[in-house]
């Protein structure tokens, strides 16, 4: 991860941009549905990246077995996308394809500022005990990883990913899994 000092400089630099150069004569491309567009001597293909990713995951994991887990009465989960790019992937795969309870994927609408200062994590889409505050609380923990009473049943499993989904955090019911241990669990299974 980039140090906050560095990312703050990036934000400061982007605020100083005073001109954006655009290509002239390029038609609008509808990015909401798969299609091919010819622009001059180039072909631009728009594809459903969630479907593409789903096909890859189905080659790696036993989806029938995961569906059986999702259907069990004693299993519940929360996945926090922290308004990052993986939200649509999580909702489609975890809720629609694997049968997770609707609403189990939270903060699943991507936002350019990851929810910004108004979000509980103030736009810092970092999957850790400090910033993944909604997930951490739902899992019955505080920012120190100590058990708290949530006043409602705590899910069996929780996970979060950062804004571009290259880092993650996993939790059990009132139990934090350290990043090195979560990586070992992913590799082992």
């Amino acid at each position: 991860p980039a140090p906050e000092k560095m990312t703050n400089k990036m934000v400061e630099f982007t605020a100083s941009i005073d001109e954006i150069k655009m290509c002239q004569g390029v038609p609008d491309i509808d990015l909401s549905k798969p299609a091919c567009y010819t622009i001059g001597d180039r072909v631009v293909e728009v594809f459903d990246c969630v479907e593409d990713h789903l096909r890859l995951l189905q080659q790696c994991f036993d989806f029938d077995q995961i569906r059986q887990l999702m259907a069990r009465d004693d299993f519940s989960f929360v996945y926090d996308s922290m308004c990052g790019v993986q939200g649509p992937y999580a909702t489609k795969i975890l809720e629609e394809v694997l049968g997770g309870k609707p609403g189990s994927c939270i903060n699943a609408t991507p936002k350019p500022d990851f929810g910004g200062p108004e979000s509980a994590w103030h736009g810092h889409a970092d999957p850790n005990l400090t910033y993944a505050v909604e997930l951490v609380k739902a899992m019955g923990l505080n920012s120190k990883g100590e058990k708290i009473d949530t006043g409602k049943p705590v899910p069996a499993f929780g996970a979060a990913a950062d804004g571009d989904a290259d880092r993650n955090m996993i939790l059990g019911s009132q139990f934090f899994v350290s990043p090195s241990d979560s990586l070992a669990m992913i590799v082992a299974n």
Side-chain angles (χ1 to χ4, degrees):
E4 193 169 337
K5 181 178 177 182
M6 183 177 162
T7 57
N8 286 344
K9 284 200 174 285
M10 289 177 196
V11 169
E12 182 182 323
F13 177 77
T14 59
S16 71
I17 295 172
D18 60 5
E19 179 183 18
I20 297 176
K21 296 187 178 189
M22 303 291 286
C23 294
Q24 300 299 318
V26 176
D28 288 337
I29 295 175
D30 182 357
L31 299 177
S32 68
K33 60 184 177 218
C36 286
Y37 299 89
T38 302
I39 302 171
D41 63 348
R42 308 282 180 190
V43 174
V44 175
E45 180 180 358
V46 177
F47 62 95
D48 184 333
C49 54
V50 176
E51 288 297 327
D52 191 56
H53 189 63
L54 174 60
R55 281 192 297 277
L56 177 63
L57 290 176
Q58 288 171 322
Q59 294 173 16
C60 300
F61 300 99
D62 186 337
F63 270 46
D64 290 333
Q65 197 170 36
I66 297 170
R67 268 189 214 92
Q68 290 174 15
L69 172 66
M70 295 283 204
R72 288 176 27 184
D73 290 336
D74 65 341
F75 182 79
S76 58
F77 77 96
V78 175
Y79 182 85
D80 191 346
S81 295
M82 302 184 80
C83 297
V85 67
Q86 77 284 5
Y89 295 78
T91 303
K92 171 76 176 193
I93 295 167
L94 296 173
E95 293 183 9
E96 295 176 29
V97 175
L98 292 172
K101 181 181 173 187
S104 295
C105 295
I106 62 172
N107 303 308
T109 301
K111 296 183 179 175
D113 61 356
F114 306 115
E118 299 81 32
S119 67
W121 55 96
H122 308 289
H124 291 277
D126 293 319
N128 58 44
L129 291 171
T130 301
Y131 291 116
V133 292
E134 291 182 6
L135 171 66
V136 171
K137 183 178 179 186
M139 296 305 297
L141 297 171
N142 65 18
S143 64
K144 295 178 183 175
E146 300 165 335
K147 293 180 182 182
I148 61 169
D149 181 16
T150 65
K152 53 187 172 182
V154 175
F157 179 79
D162 70 324
D164 62 356
D166 67 345
R167 291 176 287 132
N168 68 71
M169 172 176 73
I170 60 175
L171 301 102
S173 181
Q174 295 189 306
F175 183 79
F176 170 69
V177 180
S178 73
S180 58
D181 289 344
S182 70
L183 178 60
M185 291 170 59
I186 291 168
V187 170
N189 293 291

